[in-house]
Amino acid sequence: MIRRPPRSTLDRSSAASDVYKRQIENSAVLLYPNPASKEINVSMKNGSALSNWSIVDALGKTVLQGLNSDFKNPLLTISTASLADGIYTVKMISDGALFQKKISIVR
């Protein structure tokens, strides 16, 4: 009888599973200013381009999201003018890896 090692819950054959396998440390991300009022700038310290992004409120609701179409520019500027004061989580994907970072919106 051949015994196989147990499969991790992250071992999926989809491309999305690669995102979860390769989490980037928050220190690899530059997000400023924080706290912010009108906009935030996000970039990777290694110069990689960011692709998908979303901003999630404290209740877990996605309040803003988008795609970065300019892959040559490693700096992404996101308008936060429509957000109420509070704490949010920025979720970004770069080179197939997911990272999350908290921001504060204060006016």
Side-chain angles (χ1 to χ4, degrees):
M1 174 187 230
I2 298 174
R3 291 186 182 218
R4 294 183 182 167
R7 287 187 68 162
S8 164
T9 56
L10 296 180
D11 285 341
R12 298 179 188 110
S13 61
S14 69
S17 69
D18 290 340
V19 170
Y20 298 106
K21 288 179 186 175
R22 297 176 41 207
Q23 295 239 337
I24 295 177
E25 293 181 29
N26 282 340
S27 63
V29 179
L30 296 173
L31 189 147
Y32 60 92
N34 194 7
S37 59
K38 297 179 184 178
E39 65 186 21
I40 57 171
N41 297 298
V42 186
S43 66
M44 301 299 296
K45 286 185 180 178
N46 66 5
S48 297
L50 300 162
S51 55
N52 300 353
W53 61 268
S54 64
I55 298 179
V56 179
D57 68 13
L59 299 175
K61 179 182 174 189
T62 300
V63 292
L64 290 174
Q65 63 183 0
L67 297 170
N68 181 17
S69 59
D70 185 5
F71 291 108
K72 293 181 181 178
N73 187 355
L75 177 66
L76 178 64
T77 300
I78 301 170
S79 173
T80 58
S82 65
L83 299 177
D85 288 7
I87 305 235
Y88 296 86
T89 301
V90 179
K91 296 182 178 185
M92 306 287 298
I93 296 178
S94 175
D95 291 335
L98 171 70
F99 70 87
Q100 301 180 59
K101 203 153 192 176
K102 299 274 186 198
I103 60 163
S104 296
I105 303 298
V106 179
R107 302 218 185 348

